[in-house]
Structures are given as structure tokens and as C-alpha cells.
Amino acid sequence: METAMMNPVEIGAALAPLVVVAVLLVGFLWPAERSMPVAWLVAAVVGFVVWDMPIEWIAAASLRGALAALEILWIVFGALVLLYTLMRSGAVDRINQGFASISEDRRVQIVLLGFFLATFIEGVAGFGTPAAVVAPLLLALGFPALAAVVAALVGHAVATVFGAVGTPIIVGYQQPLGSVESTIAAEGMSVASYSATAGAWAAVFNGVLGVLMPLFAVGMVVYFFGSRDERSLAPVRGIIPLCLFAGVAFAVPYVLTAWFLGPELPSLFAAMVGGVIVVGTLRSGYLEPEDTWEFPPREEWPDHWVGSIEPDSDELDAATDTEASMSLLRAWAPYGILVVLLIGTRVIEPVAEFLQSGPVTGLESDIGHFTVGPVLEWSLIFGTELGGAIEWAYVPGTWLVLSALLAIPLFRMNVDEVAGAWHEAGGKIVSPLIALVFVIAMVEIMLETNAHAEAGAASPEAVPDGSMIVVLADATAAAIGPAYPLIVPAIGALGTFIAGSITVSNITFSAFQFEVAQSLGMPTQILVGAHSIGAAIGNVIAVHNVIAALATVGLVGETGRIIRLNLIPVVYYLLAGGLLTTVFVYVLFPTVF
């Protein structure tokens, strides 16, 4: 720590790639696929010049990052294929109709679609998909476009902690924490088990804070999109019991699933279980508000509430023209199959073992050692000690694709519908492909900048003491000290706001949070888990997510307005999250590793 404080040049150099990301993404509004390659180049130059990192080590670290990116993209592709298969078949519209038929009260519809359906879609697809799917569905029900976007963005935030079947934890934690594997192993844990436990702590934090998120979503829509003559939260009083009940019905299975089943299923399982409980309660005549709340008449809506697509337009009618014969059970069936497959491949030990270490074939070459099997591995890349792997058979991507294939005969889809779903899914991953490859490659360089010295490839005295991440962590710990738990969520939110992805935020800062916790003698699992508090809520103001959601309802140019409105739940989440983290660190769980 002291060394880092005495070397401002090293601190500035280590900070340079992150500054470039912030300036290009936020300052110049460059898309991630343009800004991340530049940030990677800056990290490579800094590693070469300041850390004396050999070219082969820079290349090896970058390729290790690329392998991790391909594993993520396999998950994303599978998630999108399944979602678009259901959209093309009409199953998503049938699910939406099922929710909408329960109540005509707009407040109840926000709870059911803006919260439960959005969190469910986040659990199976992630990467900005929920708002892009749910906002048009709310618009079709008669919501103003702006209100639909606000409800969808705020409603899905708590589920982003586990994103597309656990991606932000499985990859977002495991990949960067591989750099501290020896420290974790000394505590008797693997990186995978440590990441799952840190993810479970993240579920506790977000489960507690997320209980109020349905109420925030309803309150914001009621206050900002009710009668313009007298803005009031009075209509919220009648819906408070349902909102709190919905929050608890989601939070309990969310936390329990994270602790006992792992990171793949919490958002998916909580949305399904909580949704069934709440729908059953409403159908039984309980918690339904006594009055019915509605938006003002259409002629009173200001121009900025609506876009180029009007509620009940022909375009929306066509999008929701579903076969009346499709039952809700059939519409939900592919996701039920997915849940069974994921649980089976994780709980049945022989199956899980085979998928992670089944029969392999090895191949030696001048550029490294290759292993082919259920795990594709490239070790000793370019003669370095670095390596990477893709667990293609175990990660959820395989089971998402299989669920999508099983859905084809289930929905009796024709060739054009199937081809359209796969083509659309493939097109959606092009931009994430470029962005993820370079952002993870950048982070890997930052994590491994002094690995060559530790491996004896250079004199340790020739390079700074610690990688870029360690230097930044030591400097931050020295500057902020004991008050650090208060700002942990803010760092997570900053990462998501800049990158537009909780997965990228976790990849960028998880090792940083771990190192700060070590420097300050604080519980590492608590601080790594608390990072996801801010990383989750940051999604509601992430520029990429906001723009994508606005585009789906034909409303452009209102990005700033959405971000300003959504700062309300962000402030709540960061303040309450910082206090909660501080209590966990100093009072409740100070002895946790």
C-alpha cells in the first residue's frame, strides 16, 4: 500500500485504461465495440512500457480473455436463441396475455409484467433484453412509451445480479478472481466455489434491497405519469401491500436458490415461484386494490410521453396476434425444460463431473498445450504460464440451445420461423462479441501485468510491486480506509453505467474489490458480493440499455430524461446498499473470509 502511494506515476498508469473507457463511452458516447479495443491497446502499451511486460505475455493474457469472452457469448447466444424462438412462435405474447388478463389496474400490471416478467426474462437472457421485450408489451397494453421504459428498466434491476443464467457470477466473478486463486485456495475453496458464495452474499444484499423495487417501479409511474394537474403518490397507498408481498415472494426463493443451488437459477426461479404465488393470490381475491388506477386520457399526454409507435397501433396488434389455442402451460414449457436441465446437470454429481472433466484428448504444440473434450483448454499459451478454457458442455449455453431445439416441435414451428429466430440471435451478438473480447482482454492484462516477474521471466525489481489492479486497490484502500464499505456499491454502479453490463462491471472490478478487502483486512466475500449492489442498479441508467429500450417503443431522444428519472432508485440503492455493506462488514459478518 505504501509503495503504491509513493508512486503516483504507477497509479496514473494503472488507471489509464479505465479513464479511456470512461472518456470514450461516457464523454464521447462511443459504442463499446469502438471504445473497448482502444482501452485494450492502452492497457497493452502501459503493461509493455511501465510493467516491462513481454509481448508474448500481453498476447497470452489477451487470448485468455478472448476464451472467456467466447464462453460468455455461447451463453448469450443460447439465451437469445431460446427467447427469439418463443417470440417467433407467439409464446412470449401468450405469456404476456396471461399476465395482462389478471387485472386492468395499471399498478398491478407493472408488478406482474414490469417486475416479474422482466426479472424472468433477465434470468434467461440478460444483456439488456428484459427492457427491450417488456417495454413494447406494456406499450401494447396502453402504457405511454416513456412510462413503459421506466417500469421495465426499474423492474428488472434486482435480477441482473445473476443475469443470463448466472453469467455475471460464473464469468464476471470467476474470470478475474482466477488471478488470486492461490489466496482463495489457502482458505480451502476453489475459485468457482468462492464465486458462488460471493454471489450468494450478493443475493442477500439485493434480496433485502430489492423487496422495495416493485414499489419504486409503481410509485415512479404513478407520480410522473398520473394526472399532470396534481402529481401525487396517494394512489400508491392502495398497492403497497401487493408490492411488498411481491418483493418478498421474489426475494425469498431468490436468496435460497443462490445459497443452495448456485448462481444459474436465482433470478429465473424467483421470478417463476414469486410470480405464481402473486398471481395465485390475486386470483384468489387477495391484495387486489379496491380502486382501479388508470393513466390520464390519451389527449392529455405530453409529446415526450409517446414516440413513433402508439399504444394499440396496428404494428403492436400484429406483434401480439397469438394463436388462441396455445395454453399458458405450453408457452412456459421450454423454460420449465431449461430449469430441469440446469438443475440436473448441477445437482447430479456424476453428470456434473463428466461435463466438466469428461474424456479428453491432448495436443502439444509450440504455442501451447491443447485439450479437447467437454472442456476446450489452451494452457501454456505462447510458452507463458497463462492459460484459458471454455466449458462448453457445462455452461448454460448448451442447455439453452437444447431447450430452444426442443421448443421447435413443441410449437410446431416452420423453417422460416426457426431460421428467423436463429438469424436474429446471431445478429444480436456481433456487437457484444467485439466489446467483450476486448474488455476482458484489457482486464486480463491489468490482472497479469506482473505475472512474468513472478514466473521468473523478468527481475521482480524491474516491474512495479503488484499488477495494475493491485496498485489501484492499494492506493484506494490507503486513500479511503475504514469508510470503504460505504462506497463499494458506487464502484459497481460506475462500472455498469460506463460499460452497460453488470458482467463487464464484475469482470473489471471484482479482483479490485478483493484486493482492497485484503489490504484493509475486511471480508473479501462481502465486498465482492456488495459490488453487485451497485452493478445491478447501474443497469437502469446504463446508456446502452436506455437507448435500446427507447428504440423498441419508437421513442428516441429521451435518454437524458430516463436517466434523470431513474436516478431515484439508484440513490436509494447506493445509500442503503452502502450502509448495509458497512453493517455486514463491521457488525454481522466481520470474520467471513
Side-chain angles (χ1 to χ4, degrees):
M1 188 189 311
E2 187 177 335
T3 303
M5 293 301 294
M6 293 175 58
N7 289 277
V9 173
E10 291 176 11
I11 298 171
L15 197 59
L18 302 181
V19 171
V20 168
V21 171
V23 169
L24 295 183
L25 274 175
V26 181
F28 291 100
L29 296 179
W30 280 23
E33 59 266 29
R34 286 181 60 197
S35 54
M36 292 308 178
V38 177
W40 166 81
L41 181 60
V42 171
V45 170
V46 168
F48 181 77
V49 174
V50 180
W51 268 262
D52 200 27
M53 195 176 185
I55 295 295
E56 63 269 22
W57 283 79
I58 293 174
S62 300
L63 284 170
R64 176 182 169 127
L67 290 173
L70 290 175
E71 186 173 271
I72 298 174
L73 288 162
W74 177 233
I75 300 172
V76 175
F77 177 73
L80 292 175
V81 162
L82 179 56
L83 178 66
Y84 286 123
T85 297
L86 266 70
M87 290 177 72
R88 292 274 177 164
S89 69
V92 168
D93 294 327
R94 181 67 186 93
I95 291 169
N96 176 52
Q97 290 171 4
F99 276 124
S101 66
I102 295 168
S103 174
E104 294 183 358
D105 191 305
R106 301 304 189 184
R107 297 166 299 180
V108 176
Q109 291 173 352
I110 293 169
V111 173
L112 296 180
L113 280 82
F115 182 67
F116 280 112
L117 184 58
T119 52
F120 176 80
I121 293 174
E122 175 64 26
V124 297
F127 293 89
T129 307
V133 172
V134 173
L137 297 179
L138 291 173
L139 182 65
L141 289 176
F143 278 60
L146 201 68
V149 172
V150 168
L153 284 171
V154 174
H156 89 290
V158 65
T160 62
V161 174
F162 298 97
V165 283
T167 303
I169 305 299
I170 296 170
V171 180
Y173 281 1
Q174 286 188 33
Q175 183 65 28
L177 291 176
S179 65
V180 291
E181 185 174 5
S182 58
T183 305
I184 292 173
E187 297 293 326
M189 305 174 76
S190 66
V191 173
S193 63
Y194 176 93
S195 298
T197 305
W201 285 113
V204 173
F205 285 125
N206 287 275
V208 172
L209 297 170
V211 166
L212 294 182
M213 291 310 285
L215 188 58
F216 266 94
V218 171
M220 290 177 65
V221 171
V222 165
Y223 185 80
F224 291 108
F225 299 94
S227 173
R228 303 203 73 211
D229 296 329
E230 47 177 272
R231 278 184 171 173
S232 171
L233 286 173
V236 177
R237 283 197 292 268
I239 199 74
I240 289 176
L242 176 63
C243 288
L244 295 180
F245 182 73
V248 173
F250 179 90
V252 172
Y254 179 76
V255 174
L256 292 177
T257 305
W259 278 102
F260 295 108
L261 290 180
E264 293 92 350
L265 293 171
S267 296
L268 180 65
F269 202 61
M272 293 176 72
V273 172
V276 168
I277 291 172
V278 171
V279 168
T281 302
L282 288 168
R283 288 200 182 279
S284 299
Y286 298 102
L287 300 181
E288 179 81 30
E290 294 181 3
D291 59 331
T292 299
W293 185 83
E294 180 58 273
F295 294 106
R298 171 64 185 85
E299 58 270 14
E300 295 180 13
W301 294 2
D303 291 341
H304 67 267
W305 284 16
V306 294
S308 58
I309 303 175
E310 284 280 355
D312 303 319
S313 69
D314 292 340
E315 184 175 346
L316 288 169
D317 289 339
T320 56
D321 182 19
T322 310
E323 287 184 50
S325 61
M326 183 180 292
S327 68
L328 275 174
L329 180 62
R330 187 167 150 220
W332 281 102
Y335 287 122
I337 293 170
L338 173 64
V339 170
V340 171
L341 290 172
L342 287 175
I343 292 176
T345 55
R346 274 121 186 94
V347 173
I348 304 172
E349 285 190 21
V351 175
E353 225 173 279
F354 175 82
L355 294 175
Q356 295 176 87
S357 58
V360 297
T361 301
L363 174 66
E364 299 280 355
S365 79
D366 293 338
I367 60 173
H369 178 72
F370 297 90
T371 301
V372 179
V375 178
L376 303 177
E377 185 176 5
W378 183 359
S379 56
L380 305 176
I381 302 175
F382 299 144
T384 70
E385 295 189 352
L386 302 181
I390 301 174
E391 293 186 340
W392 68 269
Y394 182 74
V395 296
T398 299
W399 310 108
L400 286 158
V401 170
L402 180 57
S403 299
L405 292 173
L406 292 173
I408 295 170
L410 178 67
F411 296 131
R412 296 190 288 273
M413 298 175 67
N414 60 43
V415 174
D416 289 341
E417 289 171 335
V418 174
W422 284 67
H423 181 266
E424 196 163 2
K428 290 288 184 182
I429 68 168
V430 175
S431 293
L433 167 65
I434 299 169
L436 279 171
V437 165
F438 281 99
V439 73
I440 303 178
M442 176 196 78
V443 172
E444 282 298 324
I445 291 174
M446 295 180 71
L447 288 168
E448 305 293 350
T449 32
N450 68 335
H452 62 292
E454 294 174 355
S459 170
E461 291 79 16
V463 298
D465 184 19
S467 65
M468 292 189 202
I469 293 292
V470 171
V471 167
L472 289 176
D474 286 349
T476 302
I480 299 175
Y484 185 74
L486 287 169
I487 71 161
V488 172
I491 293 173
L494 177 65
T496 303
F497 174 72
I498 290 173
S501 164
I502 184 174
T503 299
V504 174
S505 180
N506 288 351
I507 289 170
T508 306
F509 290 108
S510 291
F512 171 84
Q513 301 286 19
F514 184 97
E515 295 287 357
V516 172
Q518 287 280 90
S519 297
L520 294 172
M522 294 178 180
T524 62
Q525 294 174 11
I526 301 296
L527 291 196
V528 172
H531 176 86
S532 287
I533 297 172
I537 199 64
N539 277 277
V540 307
I541 56 170
V543 176
H544 302 66
N545 290 344
V546 174
I547 291 174
L550 287 170
T552 64
V553 295
L555 189 62
V556 295
E558 297 295 342
T559 304
R561 191 185 301 273
I562 289 287
I563 290 176
R564 286 197 299 274
L565 289 175
N566 286 353
L567 283 174
I568 296 171
V570 170
V571 170
Y572 150 69
Y573 230 74
L574 296 187
L575 291 179
L579 291 173
L580 198 59
T581 304
T582 303
V583 171
F584 272 44
V585 166
Y586 288 115
V587 180
L588 298 179
F589 306 103
T591 60
V592 170
F593 169 59

